[in-house]
Amino acid sequence: MRVQAQTKILGVFGHPVSHSLSPIIQNAAIEALGIDYVYVAFHVMPEDLAKAVDGVRSMNFAGVNLTIPHKERVIDFLDEISENARRIGSVNTIVNKDGYLVGESTDGVGFLRSAEAAWGKLGGGRAVILGAGGSAKAIAFALGDAGFEVIIANRTLERAEELAENLNDDFGKGRAGSVGMCKDALGADIARADLLVNTTSVGMKPDLDGIPLPPEMIHAGLRVYDIVYDPRETRLVREAKSRGARALNGLGMLIHQGAMSLEMWTGQKAPVDVMEKALREL
Ligand code: ATR
């Protein structure tokens, strides 16, 4: 890739950002497509976010991704946000349309596409989501769109209740429920579920022995999706496989949300296989 005067700038704003894998996958895709872009990671402190977003306009970046901790706060600094970003209250992608900044979220659809790439079309059913933070929200709405009934299970029950209420407001009563991490109630919900998604940080490095629920709850009919990808195989994924369940880590979501962002910026279909290969070869 040759960076020259006309090269269009893409990037990610985060704090921290030095471990981001987005530059690897995006630049691999850019190179494979033979387009004149470069994707750079920018360390942006929370108090500097407004100035950094102004920089997207003033320096005419083609677009940026947002990661922790900017996804919610950035909304105040944009000209428009999509309906999807509005309902989840989070933006991970800014598209610069001649200085007019539009915010979108590709997290939820990235999750869904990656699950369907691995497992085939998901025709709905019952899903239990562990966690009630930003990732849980994006995934819950995407699963709602895909026809799932969604149960939010969270350590802090009030946050689960609030998210379930938002989902019911959007999809109609009875489509979502909430549960704490209490063994009996959660166990009963998981026994009836087709899909289990972990959005908590339990099991993420350095918490290698951590598992977000008692492993006995996992049954062979369950599809398990852990959005954690460091380590590549969490204890949850290991326990799921050993019980005959199908299980995925979070690399697919990372790749597909990035692929969708790249498509929004360039109008070209992103080479998902190239992006996957770039990560495998790290
Ligand atoms: P993100 O935006 O990445 O989803 P977040 O908003 O910080 O992150 O949410 C983290 C989620 O992981 C929360 O649901 C949190 O539970 P609480 O709402 O009770 O805080 C959950 N979580 C984090 N550490 C946890 C732990 N050790 N055990 C159980 N849940 C945990």
Side-chain angles (χ1 to χ4, degrees):
M1 173 191 318
R2 194 157 105 214
V3 177
Q4 47 188 358
Q6 310 93 303
T7 303
K8 296 186 189 69
I9 311 289
L10 297 169
V12 54
F13 293 170
H15 168 66
V17 80
S18 60
H19 290 96
S20 172
L21 295 173
S22 293
I24 303 286
I25 58 176
Q26 296 290 0
N27 288 313
I30 286 166
E31 204 164 327
L33 290 171
I35 52 179
D36 195 10
Y37 287 81
V38 64
Y39 186 103
V40 184
F42 296 94
H43 185 194
V44 174
M45 300 298 285
E47 60 271 26
D48 293 328
L49 182 60
K51 285 187 274 183
V53 172
D54 260 345
V56 172
R57 290 189 186 90
S58 60
M59 290 186 283
N60 197 28
F61 289 8
V64 288
N65 285 132
L66 288 310
T67 185
I68 287 169
H70 302 314
K71 291 186 190 186
E72 285 95 24
R73 262 235 311 152
V74 76
I75 291 175
D76 289 343
F77 311 128
L78 302 177
D79 299 306
E80 184 184 320
I81 62 170
S82 71
E83 179 52 26
N84 183 42
R86 189 204 51 76
R87 65 181 185 168
I88 64 173
S90 157
V91 161
N92 78 340
T93 306
I94 298 176
V95 181
N96 183 1
K97 299 183 174 169
D98 296 323
Y100 185 82
L101 302 187
V102 181
E104 184 41 289
S105 175
T106 65
D107 284 335
V109 187
F111 164 84
L112 203 65
R113 276 204 194 172
S114 68
E116 293 191 335
W119 292 331
K121 181 115 190 92
L122 296 175
R126 279 209 181 88
V128 174
I129 298 179
L130 306 175
S135 312
K137 207 164 180 183
I139 290 169
F141 275 96
L143 287 173
D145 286 337
F148 277 84
E149 183 188 327
V150 179
I151 305 291
I152 309 294
N154 198 43
R155 180 177 59 181
T156 311
L157 181 58
E158 299 78 66
R159 291 186 82 194
E161 286 170 346
E162 196 187 326
L163 177 48
E165 212 174 292
N166 287 341
L167 292 161
N168 281 327
D169 286 345
D170 209 87
F171 295 108
K173 285 246 166 302
R175 282 290 294 282
S178 54
V179 64
M181 295 307 244
C182 135
K183 216 172 161 183
D184 291 347
L186 180 60
D189 279 324
I190 290 180
R192 289 196 304 264
D194 311 289
L195 176 63
L196 173 72
V197 185
N198 174 46
T199 71
T200 76
S201 49
V202 179
M204 191 189 292
K205 216 173 188 174
D207 180 24
L208 295 178
D209 289 331
I211 184 158
L213 80 176
E216 315 79 74
M217 289 184 187
I218 302 167
H219 54 88
L222 201 59
R223 287 174 164 143
V224 176
Y225 195 125
D226 193 342
I227 72 164
V228 174
Y229 53 79
D230 190 16
R232 297 289 188 266
E233 191 167 85
T234 57
R235 184 162 164 225
L236 174 62
V237 168
R238 250 191 342 270
E239 297 275 7
K241 286 179 178 168
S242 78
R243 286 171 165 75
R246 282 172 287 188
L248 297 174
N249 68 18
L251 279 184
M253 178 172 171
L254 178 78
I255 291 166
H256 282 266
Q257 59 82 26
M260 291 188 65
S261 297
L262 189 66
E263 288 171 10
M264 289 175 182
W265 294 320
T266 67
Q268 303 221 24
K269 185 145 180 51
V272 167
D273 50 336
V274 170
M275 298 164 96
E276 272 168 2
K277 186 160 170 277
L279 284 185
R280 270 202 309 275
E281 287 172 355
L282 265 190

